[in-house]
Amino acid sequence: MSTPRTFDEIDETELLVSTDNAQAYLFQWLSSTEKKISEIDIANLKAAQQTLEKTLLKIISHPEGYPLPGRAIRELVGRCLVSMYSRGETKSMFNVVQSCMRIVGDFKSLSERDASKIAAFSCIGDIMASFGSQSPLLRYQALITLHKSLTTAKRAIPDSLAKDTQKQMKSLLMDKSLPVQRGACEVLINLYKPPTFPALPEIDSLISNSLCSLEQADQLTRSAHANLIGYILASTQIECVIPISESSSGKRKRGEEGEEGTAQVQDVTKPLCTPQEMLLHLSNLYNRTLMTKVRVGIFNFYAALFTHLGPSFIELNYALILSHLLNEIVNSPRSLTSTYDILLTCTFVSILLRKLIGERMLSEQGQISAIKEMANSYLGRWPALMPGRGGVHKGVLVLLLGEVGALVKRLGDASSVVQENLTDPLITLLSHPSHSVRIHTAYALRQFCNNTPTLLPRLILTIQEKLHRDLSAILNPSSPTDISRRALGHAYGLASLVSYDISATVLDLASTLLKKAAESDMRVASVQSEIALVLLSSLMSLVPNFVRGHLTQFLVLWRNALPKMTEERELTSVPRAEVEFLLLLRGYVVGSMLAFLKWNKGLVSLDVERRVASVLSNALSFADAVVSLPAEDPDLSQPKKGLGMKEQEALLHKRVFLCFLLLGFAGVEESAQGAPLKSCIGLFASPDGYTGSSVQAAITSSSEAFKDLWASADGYACGITSICVEGEGGGEGRDEVVGAIDSLLRKPIIPSIEHDPLSLFTPLEESAPPAPPPPNTAVLLPLQDVSSTVKFVTLLLENVHSPKLEKNTGRKAAVFVNAVVALLLALRNAMEDGMGNAREVFGSVGVRVLLGPFLKDAIVDGDVVFCLAGSEAIGRLASLSSTNFLTGQIKDLVDTVMNNWDPYGCAGCALAFGSIYMHVGGLAAGPLLKTTVNVLMSLSNDPHPAVHFSALRALSRVISAAGLNYAPFIPSTLGMLLKVSLLESHKMEGGTLDNSNASGDCPVYPIVCQIIDALITVLGPDIQESARTRTLILNLVNLFKQGDQLVPKDTVATTDVEHVPSPTQIEADHSERHADEYEYKWNYVSLYTLKYMYGFTPGNTFDGGYGFIDYNWEHCMKALGYIARVTQAPHIHDITPIIHFIGPFSHGDIPHRELWDLHHKNHLYRHVVGDCRIVKLRDVYLVVPPSSSKDDRFTWTFGAKTARDILYACRLLDHMDNMSMYGVTQEFLARGIPFHTFSVSCTPTCVHLNTKTVPVILPLGYTLSLNDYTSYLKKHAAFLSSPRGRTALLMGGIIGRIAHEHLSLDGVLQGPLSAFTNHRIGVRYVDQSGLEFYDDALTEDETEIVCGVYRCFTGHGKQFSVHSWWPLPTQWKSRENGMNWGYWTPWNEHLYKNRLGALEKFSQPLSAQEWRSRLKSGSYTRTFVQTVESELVKYLENYIDDKF
């Protein structure tokens, strides 16, 4: 059909025939014109637009000869105008609207003109409906322009205009558009900058308007409002001129006239309000609202306010701020309405006190003062003995105990200053009647003693005496009613301080109590048993050396305490008090078993597994029987004094499930394997499972009353799991404090340590204190038996689709979430435990038919948890299934995207694409790469934020997993990224109103940076071959770095893009590297390091399907200690085998047999050591090379500390041609690997030399000068140039790197010096035959000379802190050091060069805490190093001798 080029004019002769014919003709003409407007070329439309406008206006104005514009006519005219302005010019739209308004405003016209007025109104409505509201982006940019203009030209604005602007901006704070609200906040901050200050009524108005917007605000908008309110309230503390009132002015005048006759009245200069009044603005609002989202926003206000006030103000007014938060927020009646409200409020306040104030704002002295304030003003006020002195609410005590523990941990050794303030209050609070206070006190006491070990003996004796006194008083019927709670508190206090020194005493006390419990009445026996079992559980956290000697005794105890249930006596006939006692007893017995399995895995033999599994089955049967008992509804409105019967039952179930999880099914009889799974599924997925109180169940059963599962405020949330599904969210670049506060929006279950008292014994090395969820919400499928998966998956899905759930909307949603997360955990566990059996079960047709449709329903649901969990589950299922299933899943996802117009469904499908490719791997999913990329690129252009955000995130995962296979798609991807950066719909303020409001939680540009980073990794050195590609990448990254969009500072593409080498940079770097005297060999690290140091052997049969990829090339290089930007990719066709090799190590697992020569099924397994012989002496390995590799020039024996290093030497000797011990030594020296040069058969003299010098301690506040640093350089240069300097080279690491600046490598080859033979300075080992081995070693003084150590008084008695120019060997070798790979790496060199540059600009020496902070790295690095070493130690056990 041909395209029309022009419009037909109206034939007015047709209008004159008759009225009916005129209306029909006009109707046909308008219909034809509407069609032509949508088909005509835009150029022709614009040319005819002016004439067409006049014609349409003429129709609605009803001139003589034209029919009346009835409903059909006026609607057609309106549609023609809208269609015309949608495709053509819009500059004349205003004139057309004005013409219509003139028709409407003609009041002198006759009544028959009403039809024209109606038609004009209709056309105006159609135009305004389509074009009346300006786009959010346009309005936002207008506000940003105003904001930038005010920054420089504010003084030029008249006062009247400024007031009008303020008024308009205040109204925009409640605008429907969230970007407009953010822009208004920026403008108001500029308007109220000094010397302009808001009055108190204006502040109240601003806070009120912002508060009204919090309910619908996203994270970015909440932050904008918080920044505004924080700035406005902080400005009230700036001194400004305040006019005095007339009354005070008159009094002042009369007083001054009485003295001097006349005087001029001056305004008062002071802050607008006091700090207490400033803070009350926010606390009053918090106590008036019950909505969690609004409360989250108010605490964002608090965080912004404290940030604007600054560290100096906070530290000066800390006591006032603490008092306000505790009295006005935590202790407010509105915050004490339920347990959930107490925990939520305490969590809010804890984030402010700990993460914001404690970690960012308080100095060390400020932290000490804060602890003293908490101890003296609050913790020490219980019990309230003085008349008129009120007590402290338990919520306040719980909160402060947690903050004291965190501050003590942060202070470290400096916490000894506050021991006098904390000791008595902590011991006293152990006898508090509140269960929560007692548990938190025990944890704070444990943290305190961990940092002040000198107090430990005295505190243990004190608590022991109190516990024995309580145990004696329990036997007396006339003892106080709270004696049992007091005894339990002291028991938890003693258990928290248990150590190997008092283990025998504690065990004896526990055994005695258990014997006495058998002879006591139920009241006394329950207390004695609980105390005994708590003490036993704490003993399980000690090293296995203690538990091993008493394991038989523990097994007998567990068997006797958990007998098999008999049918003769059902629980329904047992008194309730006795059931509660039995439940309590079994809960703590299983708790001690859980502690044993968690911390003593090496003692769990097959026989122990069988015996433990038997008694666990008995405990599970008892717990299942208790579930069927009728129970009273818990009073959710009242804070609990302890764990009730229902919570004890849930806690018992949870501990049993966790025990089976740690135990595994190896020792469980086949007949008993199904009971734990069936019981677990019944609890978290059954429609008849525990559903909270009957009142809450009635509320959630109504679909009208139930709104959102994540907004539940009962602490139970219909039984939803508390397990978080980890995944990338929309919080890129978010502040840690803001992120912690916002995370509570989707956390209906608040964890706390009192929910599971045995979590008190978690090792203190963990970064965060233990916070288990409430027992009723913690149960979830913890153990998946792949051999019976089909049966239990069927049972699970039957529960999910049960008709009974239709009557309870909340429970139905919770069961759906629990089922999806449970299946994800099952797939994770299957892939981690071994792929063989998992492939047979999860890859079977029966399982695929069940899981496929269910997971597909999950990803199109729209909830973020379903999308993340469902997409990951589909990806893992595809990796375990056949190629046919993989192809079918991709086809189903494509069909879903094509047929599903729901944006959240498309977003879930996009995430599934990325997850499938990431888990299946680049080789297996390679044929589907083109389809995947095409779909994701298409979805990336979708205007809806959820769709293009998820598509881009999935594309980033696909690129990382595909590796070099993605190279053909790089040009199109870069073009797509450029297009995305230009699209207005992809800006956070662009698109329609709904889309712009949803974009705040889906920031695009951080994901774009991740994609660019992944593309750089794929390109590698090839990026230098195309100047156009490299320039485009650099320009894109520079665009995001310079722009105003949210791009996090830690995005690799924005921080390390300078590492992308150009050809000239590479050439210059190459020349500079060869000109350097000390050349580091990392040009060939990729394959060389992997092959000889780690045993990487990529076999030809490896197809990538035996593992999963969870790291890209950069993560893998970081695990090895190399920078991906400057590390050339290996010269192989695909880097996937390397990722498959490094990835499992970083997860604590081992790679596939084809990739690792130490895998017991690898053909090189027995040939790694070769002809070398290895001898182990205590903690050092010696290598005796074959005769062909011996060098007569050396009279010493080579030794190394780690199994990896000794095997590295063996591989070099066995696999490299003409390699001798000389070459091995040179290799170790060049790579900074520590080793020993042992001399044998020495009979040293007994002359001892005192090498200890008196340390110099600097006064408090002393600042080192340039002369001090110069003196250090001369001193350490003199030492390293001496013969003893060779010892520094042997140490490797940072000491060896410093020594390389002064020594040659050949100086090491002379063997040990006479320092050991004459003065016993060095290390000495003796083998089983009495043969002695000795070598040089640095003394403590010599180490301090090399590192430049200074001791500085802290101002607290004789205490001093240690500072150094370089990290000490103890800090470098610490397990917390993520920068110690055992050899010198580019990351180490980067750290060294940066520090050297800082010292050249004269930076001060760093403390031990500062060095720990600088040497931290990702957990995957430490896991990689530790896993490799543990596996190599196991391997060497079969090849080592104990005699030389």
Side-chain angles (χ1 to χ4, degrees):
M1 185 176 63
S2 60
T3 303
R5 296 186 177 182
T6 184
F7 297 96
D8 298 331
E9 296 183 1
I10 294 179
D11 186 0
E12 296 188 357
T13 58
E14 293 287 343
L15 301 177
L16 300 176
V17 178
S18 66
T19 303
D20 294 339
N21 290 336
Q23 289 178 343
Y25 172 77
L26 195 57
F27 177 81
Q28 293 288 351
W29 184 89
L30 286 171
S31 299
S32 175
T33 301
E34 180 189 9
K35 184 177 180 181
K36 289 181 180 180
I37 290 175
S38 61
E39 296 175 353
I40 195 172
D41 292 337
I42 295 179
N44 295 332
L45 174 62
K46 292 180 179 180
Q49 187 168 332
Q50 185 176 2
T51 304
L52 190 59
E53 287 174 351
K54 293 179 180 179
T55 304
L56 295 174
L57 286 174
K58 190 175 181 179
I59 293 173
I60 63 173
S61 63
H62 182 216
E64 185 178 355
Y66 277 70
L68 288 175
R71 184 182 66 85
I73 300 298
R74 63 176 178 257
E75 288 182 357
L76 280 171
V77 172
R79 292 207 298 268
C80 288
L81 289 172
V82 170
S83 181
M84 180 177 61
Y85 291 132
S86 298
R87 302 189 67 222
E89 295 284 356
T90 58
K91 59 185 179 181
S92 60
M93 184 194 305
F94 181 77
N95 296 332
V96 171
V97 174
Q98 287 290 91
S99 300
C100 293
M101 291 298 295
R102 282 194 292 269
I103 297 174
V104 172
D106 186 7
F107 298 104
K108 297 181 181 181
S109 60
L110 300 176
S111 58
E112 48 269 10
R113 299 289 300 172
D114 288 349
S116 296
K117 293 181 180 181
I118 295 173
F121 266 127
S122 177
C123 292
I124 293 173
D126 291 338
I127 294 175
M128 294 302 294
S130 300
F131 308 101
S133 61
Q134 297 172 342
S135 69
L137 180 59
L138 178 62
R139 301 174 66 200
Y140 174 78
Q141 289 299 332
L143 291 172
I144 292 301
T145 301
L146 178 59
H147 158 67
K148 294 178 179 178
S149 302
L150 289 173
T151 304
T152 56
K154 178 184 174 183
R155 295 182 178 180
I157 300 178
D159 292 342
S160 59
L161 180 59
K163 291 182 179 179
D164 291 341
T165 305
Q166 291 173 4
K167 183 178 180 181
Q168 189 173 4
M169 293 302 108
K170 290 177 187 176
S171 65
L172 291 180
L173 290 178
M174 297 183 292
D175 195 88
K176 292 182 179 180
S177 174
L178 299 184
V180 171
Q181 293 183 26
R182 298 196 290 267
C185 291
E186 296 291 337
V187 174
L188 284 169
I189 290 175
N190 258 353
L191 286 173
Y192 286 117
K193 283 188 175 179
T196 305
F197 297 96
L200 287 177
E202 291 181 279
I203 294 176
D204 293 335
S205 175
L206 287 170
I207 296 177
S208 177
N209 289 359
S210 291
L211 193 70
C212 293
S213 303
L214 289 180
E215 184 178 350
Q216 303 299 329
D218 58 10
Q219 185 268 326
L220 285 179
T221 309
R222 279 195 303 272
S223 297
H225 283 286
N227 190 34
L228 170 64
I229 302 305
Y231 174 81
I232 294 298
L233 289 177
S235 66
T236 62
Q237 303 307 301
I238 302 175
E239 292 189 351
C240 59
V241 176
I242 301 177
I244 59 176
S245 62
E246 293 184 1
S247 58
S248 61
S249 175
K251 292 179 182 179
R252 183 175 177 182
K253 282 183 178 180
R254 289 193 295 270
E256 292 178 350
E257 287 175 357
E259 296 179 0
E260 302 179 4
T262 60
Q264 185 177 3
V265 180
Q266 295 182 356
D267 294 331
V268 178
T269 301
K270 66 175 184 178
L272 189 61
C273 60
T274 64
Q276 183 65 26
E277 294 171 343
M278 172 190 66
L279 294 172
L280 284 174
H281 278 88
L282 299 181
S283 61
N284 291 336
L285 294 176
Y286 183 85
N287 293 324
R288 286 203 301 263
T289 182
L290 291 175
M291 295 187 61
T292 303
K293 196 167 187 179
V294 178
R295 288 189 165 190
V296 165
I298 293 174
F299 266 89
N300 279 328
F301 291 177
Y302 270 112
L305 172 60
F306 294 155
T307 303
H308 281 291
L309 290 172
S312 301
F313 182 92
I314 297 298
E315 189 161 336
L316 182 64
N317 296 274
Y318 182 83
L320 185 147
I321 293 172
L322 180 66
S323 174
H324 168 81
L325 292 174
L326 297 180
N327 296 326
E328 302 297 334
I329 299 292
V330 178
N331 206 20
S332 170
R334 185 60 64 89
S335 300
L336 305 176
T337 55
S338 66
T339 303
Y340 177 83
D341 287 331
I342 294 176
L343 290 175
L344 181 66
T345 303
C346 288
T347 305
F348 280 141
V349 177
S350 176
I351 293 171
L352 293 182
L353 292 178
R354 185 178 307 177
K355 290 185 176 293
L356 181 60
I357 296 178
E359 295 182 3
R360 299 186 183 181
M361 296 186 172
L362 294 183
S363 62
E364 182 174 307
Q365 187 59 44
Q367 295 175 25
I368 293 174
S369 301
I371 294 178
K372 291 181 178 179
E373 175 67 20
M374 295 178 189
N376 298 334
S377 301
Y378 300 95
L379 299 181
R381 284 172 50 190
W382 189 88
L385 301 177
M386 301 296 293
R389 187 180 184 185
V392 184
H393 188 267
K394 73 166 191 176
V396 174
L397 293 175
V398 167
L399 173 66
L400 292 181
L401 287 167
E403 300 316 304
V404 165
L407 286 176
V408 165
K409 182 178 181 179
R410 189 167 183 81
L411 282 173
D413 298 338
S415 58
S416 59
V417 180
V418 297
Q419 60 185 15
E420 295 181 0
N421 306 87
L422 284 179
T423 303
D424 291 339
L426 290 180
I427 293 179
T428 304
L429 286 171
L430 287 174
S431 57
H432 196 278
S434 170
H435 169 75
S436 302
V437 175
R438 296 195 300 268
I439 298 300
H440 282 270
T441 303
Y443 182 77
L445 192 64
R446 186 178 186 214
Q447 193 67 259
F448 179 53
C449 290
N450 184 62
N451 290 280
T452 55
T454 55
L455 286 176
L456 187 60
R458 181 165 66 89
L459 289 177
I460 289 177
L461 288 176
T462 302
I463 296 175
Q464 275 184 318
E465 292 176 1
K466 290 179 176 292
L467 178 59
H468 284 294
R469 192 184 310 138
D470 295 337
L471 291 173
S472 300
I474 288 176
L475 302 175
N476 187 358
S478 61
S479 59
T481 57
D482 65 339
I483 190 65
S484 59
R485 292 195 296 267
R486 191 186 310 167
L488 286 172
H490 292 140
Y492 277 110
L494 179 61
S496 67
L497 303 180
V498 71
S499 63
Y500 194 83
D501 297 334
I502 63 169
S503 57
T505 303
V506 172
L507 179 61
D508 181 64
L509 175 60
S511 303
T512 303
L513 288 175
L514 289 175
K515 294 177 182 178
K516 291 182 178 179
E519 304 171 358
S520 305
D521 58 54
M522 189 177 300
R523 180 186 66 86
V524 177
S526 63
V527 179
Q528 293 174 332
S529 302
E530 185 173 356
I531 292 174
L533 293 170
V534 166
L535 296 176
L536 285 179
S537 299
S538 67
L539 291 174
M540 298 299 172
S541 63
L542 299 178
V543 293
N545 291 337
F546 168 79
V547 181
R548 182 182 290 107
H550 305 278
L551 181 56
T552 304
Q553 182 180 352
F554 293 147
L555 291 172
V556 173
L557 168 65
W558 296 334
R559 183 192 62 192
N560 295 336
L562 299 173
K564 189 174 183 180
M565 288 191 63
T566 60
E567 299 179 359
E568 300 175 357
R569 188 187 184 193
E570 297 182 356
L571 290 181
T572 53
S573 60
V574 179
R576 186 179 183 86
E578 185 177 348
V579 174
E580 292 181 354
F581 169 71
L582 295 175
L583 190 61
L584 178 71
L585 178 65
R586 282 162 171 77
Y588 278 97
V589 170
V590 176
S592 65
M593 297 171 65
L594 177 61
F596 165 74
L597 295 173
K598 185 181 296 185
W599 294 306
N600 300 274
K601 295 180 180 179
L603 302 180
V604 184
S605 62
L606 188 61
D607 178 64
V608 172
E609 284 182 349
R610 181 182 54 81
R611 297 167 69 177
V612 169
S614 176
V615 293
L616 283 177
S617 299
N618 298 340
L620 181 60
S621 301
F622 179 83
D624 290 339
V626 174
V627 173
S628 60
L629 295 178
E632 298 179 358
D633 285 341
D635 188 359
L636 298 175
S637 64
Q638 297 295 328
K640 294 185 174 68
K641 297 181 180 180
L643 298 180
M645 177 177 173
K646 209 63 182 175
E647 291 168 320
Q648 290 283 4
E649 168 265 312
L651 188 58
L652 175 58
H653 265 115
K654 170 191 170 183
R655 289 173 177 171
V656 170
F657 295 148
L658 291 177
C659 285
F660 275 114
L661 170 64
L662 295 173
L663 192 64
F665 271 167
V668 184
E669 296 181 2
E670 187 175 354
S671 58
Q673 291 181 3
L677 288 168
K678 185 177 180 180
S679 174
C680 192
I681 293 175
L683 284 175
F684 77 79
S686 172
D688 301 324
Y690 176 64
T691 55
S693 66
S694 59
V695 176
Q696 187 66 26
I699 294 174
T700 55
S701 63
S702 173
S703 59
E704 298 175 356
F706 178 78
K707 294 181 179 180
D708 186 9
L709 193 64
W710 309 108
S712 301
D714 60 347
Y716 179 71
C718 304
I720 193 174
T721 175
S722 60
I723 297 178
C724 297
V725 179
E726 297 181 357
E728 298 177 1
E732 286 82 0
R734 187 183 305 182
D735 180 78
E736 182 183 1
V737 174
V738 176
I741 295 175
D742 289 343
S743 66
L744 296 174
L745 283 173
R746 295 186 62 85
K747 191 175 289 187
I749 301 164
I750 308 297
S752 186
I753 191 174
E754 68 264 23
H755 293 145
D756 187 355
L758 296 186
S759 62
L760 178 67
F761 313 125
T762 303
L764 291 174
E765 288 75 14
E766 296 191 3
S767 57
N776 291 333
T777 59
V779 292
L780 188 66
L781 187 61
L783 185 63
Q784 297 82 24
D785 177 21
V786 293
S787 64
S788 56
T789 300
V790 175
K791 171 184 174 183
F792 291 108
V793 168
T794 303
L795 175 62
L796 177 61
L797 297 186
E798 287 177 354
N799 286 332
V800 173
H801 298 104
S802 173
K804 296 181 180 180
L805 291 174
E806 299 298 331
K807 300 179 182 180
N808 192 333
T809 309
R811 180 61 178 170
K812 179 179 180 181
V815 167
F816 195 14
V817 173
N818 292 348
V820 174
V821 176
L823 291 173
L824 172 60
L825 297 180
L827 290 165
R828 284 181 181 176
N829 191 58
M831 295 182 69
E832 291 173 0
D833 287 349
M835 304 291 288
N837 193 26
R839 283 181 178 275
E840 296 177 3
V841 177
F842 285 98
S844 64
V845 177
V847 173
R848 298 202 312 256
V849 169
L850 291 172
L851 294 184
F854 176 74
L855 295 177
K856 182 181 176 181
D857 292 341
I859 64 173
V860 299
D861 181 88
D863 190 273
V864 63
V865 173
F866 289 134
C867 287
L868 292 174
S871 60
E872 182 182 347
I874 287 179
R876 292 182 178 274
L877 182 63
S879 68
L880 294 172
S881 303
S882 63
T883 306
N884 293 334
F885 177 78
L886 172 63
T887 307
Q889 282 297 306
I890 295 293
K891 183 179 181 301
D892 289 343
L893 290 174
V894 173
D895 293 340
T896 303
V897 170
M898 297 297 295
N899 301 323
N900 190 349
W901 294 97
D902 179 28
Y904 295 100
C906 293
C909 291
L911 291 176
F913 274 112
S915 179
I916 287 175
Y917 204 92
M918 182 178 68
H919 290 289
V920 171
L923 293 179
L928 302 173
L929 180 59
K930 182 177 180 181
T931 303
T932 302
V933 173
N934 290 339
V935 173
L936 292 179
M937 284 190 178
S938 176
L939 293 177
S940 299
N941 295 320
D942 192 281
H944 196 279
V947 178
H948 60 243
F949 175 76
S950 300
L952 289 171
R953 187 166 62 179
L955 185 61
S956 174
R957 295 176 176 177
V958 170
I959 297 172
S960 300
L964 295 179
N965 292 332
Y966 196 83
F969 303 97
I970 290 179
S972 59
T973 304
L974 288 174
M976 181 271 296
L977 295 180
L978 179 61
K979 181 179 179 181
V980 164
S981 64
L982 299 176
L983 287 174
E984 301 294 349
S985 60
H986 287 51
K987 294 182 180 294
M988 283 189 291
E989 302 82 17
T992 63
L993 178 63
D994 293 338
N995 287 354
S996 63
N997 288 346
S999 295
D1001 293 326
C1002 302
V1004 170
Y1005 295 148
I1007 306 298
V1008 172
C1009 291
Q1010 294 177 12
I1011 294 177
I1012 295 175
D1013 178 61
L1015 292 177
I1016 294 173
T1017 302
V1018 173
L1019 285 169
D1022 295 339
I1023 196 173
Q1024 59 182 295
E1025 297 179 0
S1026 175
R1028 180 180 179 183
T1029 300
R1030 184 176 182 275
T1031 303
L1032 179 57
I1033 290 176
L1034 291 174
N1035 290 339
L1036 282 173
V1037 173
N1038 188 61
L1039 170 67
F1040 299 132
K1041 290 178 67 175
Q1042 302 299 328
D1044 57 355
Q1045 294 293 335
L1046 180 67
V1047 178
K1049 295 181 180 179
D1050 58 349
T1051 300
V1052 179
T1054 63
T1055 56
D1056 290 344
V1057 71
E1058 290 80 3
H1059 289 155
V1060 179
S1062 64
T1064 55
Q1065 290 173 333
I1066 290 178
E1067 183 178 356
D1069 184 61
H1070 181 76
S1071 302
E1072 180 182 358
R1073 218 174 268 169
H1074 279 275
D1076 195 349
E1077 179 181 355
Y1078 182 72
E1079 179 183 354
Y1080 293 96
K1081 302 180 179 179
W1082 57 60
N1083 287 331
Y1084 56 93
V1085 296
S1086 300
L1087 289 179
Y1088 180 88
T1089 302
L1090 288 171
K1091 181 178 180 180
Y1092 292 103
M1093 189 169 289
Y1094 294 101
F1096 173 58
T1097 57
N1100 296 328
T1101 61
F1102 178 73
D1103 62 359
Y1106 300 99
F1108 62 96
I1109 300 177
D1110 202 22
Y1111 288 99
N1112 56 22
W1113 176 248
E1114 180 182 354
H1115 286 118
C1116 294
M1117 288 296 97
K1118 182 63 180 294
L1120 292 176
Y1122 296 98
I1123 304 173
R1125 297 293 176 276
V1126 297
T1127 304
Q1128 295 184 8
H1131 297 291
I1132 55 179
H1133 297 294
D1134 195 359
I1135 63 174
T1136 304
I1138 296 180
I1139 299 178
H1140 278 282
F1141 177 76
I1142 299 176
F1145 279 132
S1146 301
H1147 280 78
D1149 203 351
I1150 62 174
H1152 186 259
R1153 61 178 181 270
E1154 295 291 340
L1155 300 178
W1156 193 31
D1157 61 2
L1158 294 185
H1159 195 288
H1160 66 280
K1161 293 185 179 181
N1162 191 285
H1163 65 286
L1164 298 176
Y1165 177 73
R1166 301 187 181 278
H1167 305 285
V1168 175
V1169 176
D1171 296 329
C1172 299
R1173 192 165 62 89
I1174 300 174
V1175 181
K1176 185 175 183 181
L1177 306 177
R1178 294 205 313 267
D1179 59 342
V1180 69
Y1181 297 94
L1182 307 181
V1183 59
V1184 181
S1187 57
S1188 59
S1189 300
K1190 290 184 178 180
D1191 196 321
D1192 296 335
R1193 293 175 292 176
F1194 304 129
T1195 59
W1196 44 265
T1197 301
F1198 183 90
K1201 284 279 189 178
T1202 67
R1204 186 201 61 194
D1205 294 342
I1206 209 68
L1207 284 174
Y1208 179 37
C1210 292
R1211 288 192 184 98
L1212 292 176
L1213 291 171
D1214 189 64
H1215 302 309
M1216 296 193 70
D1217 296 335
N1218 301 322
M1219 176 62 70
S1220 63
M1221 287 307 304
Y1222 178 84
V1224 172
T1225 306
Q1226 292 287 68
E1227 184 69 23
F1228 272 59
L1229 287 172
R1231 306 204 68 177
I1233 304 174
F1235 65 98
H1236 285 288
T1237 56
F1238 286 112
S1239 286
V1240 188
S1241 299
C1242 171
T1243 306
T1245 61
C1246 295
V1247 179
H1248 294 271
L1249 178 64
N1250 183 14
T1251 61
K1252 190 69 178 175
T1253 59
V1254 179
V1256 178
I1257 304 181
L1258 302 178
L1260 178 66
Y1262 181 84
T1263 303
L1264 295 172
S1265 64
L1266 182 60
N1267 293 332
D1268 293 313
Y1269 179 62
T1270 305
S1271 174
Y1272 153 72
L1273 291 178
K1274 293 180 180 179
K1275 191 173 182 180
H1276 98 278
F1279 168 73
L1280 292 175
S1281 301
S1282 68
R1284 288 282 298 163
R1286 75 174 292 273
T1287 312
L1289 279 176
L1290 291 174
M1291 295 187 65
I1294 188 65
I1295 297 289
R1297 179 63 182 92
I1298 297 172
H1300 269 297
E1301 301 287 346
H1302 302 272
L1303 298 171
S1304 65
L1305 305 183
D1306 293 334
V1308 179
L1309 307 181
Q1310 304 302 321
L1313 304 173
S1314 59
F1316 186 91
T1317 57
N1318 295 334
H1319 307 297
R1320 304 298 298 273
I1321 302 175
V1323 292
R1324 173 175 174 267
Y1325 294 88
V1326 181
D1327 70 354
Q1328 293 292 334
S1329 62
L1331 199 61
E1332 294 182 345
F1333 300 81
Y1334 68 94
D1335 193 16
D1336 296 325
L1338 290 182
T1339 64
E1340 183 179 351
D1341 285 345
E1342 291 170 341
T1343 302
E1344 293 184 358
I1345 290 174
V1346 177
C1347 296
V1349 174
Y1350 300 89
R1351 293 171 174 82
C1352 307
F1353 276 116
T1354 62
H1356 307 297
K1358 297 182 180 181
Q1359 292 184 348
F1360 57 83
S1361 59
V1362 178
H1363 294 67
S1364 59
W1365 300 112
W1366 298 98
L1368 293 168
T1370 54
Q1371 298 163 354
W1372 187 261
K1373 298 176 182 179
S1374 171
R1375 291 176 63 88
E1376 297 180 359
N1377 179 13
M1379 303 296 290
N1380 181 18
W1381 285 271
Y1383 53 93
W1384 198 252
T1385 70
W1387 276 105
N1388 298 142
E1389 184 68 10
H1390 179 70
L1391 172 70
Y1392 178 80
K1393 292 291 187 183
N1394 285 347
R1395 180 59 180 165
L1396 200 60
L1399 292 178
E1400 291 174 354
K1401 298 177 181 178
F1402 191 59
S1403 173
Q1404 289 291 312
L1406 304 180
S1407 65
Q1409 183 175 356
E1410 291 172 326
W1411 277 121
R1412 283 196 299 269
S1413 177
R1414 291 201 175 194
L1415 296 177
K1416 283 186 177 180
S1417 183
S1419 60
Y1420 51 86
T1421 301
R1422 295 191 296 270
T1423 305
F1424 175 82
V1425 174
Q1426 295 168 10
T1427 304
V1428 169
E1429 183 62 22
S1430 64
E1431 294 295 331
L1432 299 189
V1433 168
K1434 296 177 184 177
Y1435 173 81
L1436 282 182
E1437 290 177 353
N1438 300 321
Y1439 294 92
I1440 57 176
D1441 297 329
D1442 55 3
K1443 294 182 181 180
F1444 187 73

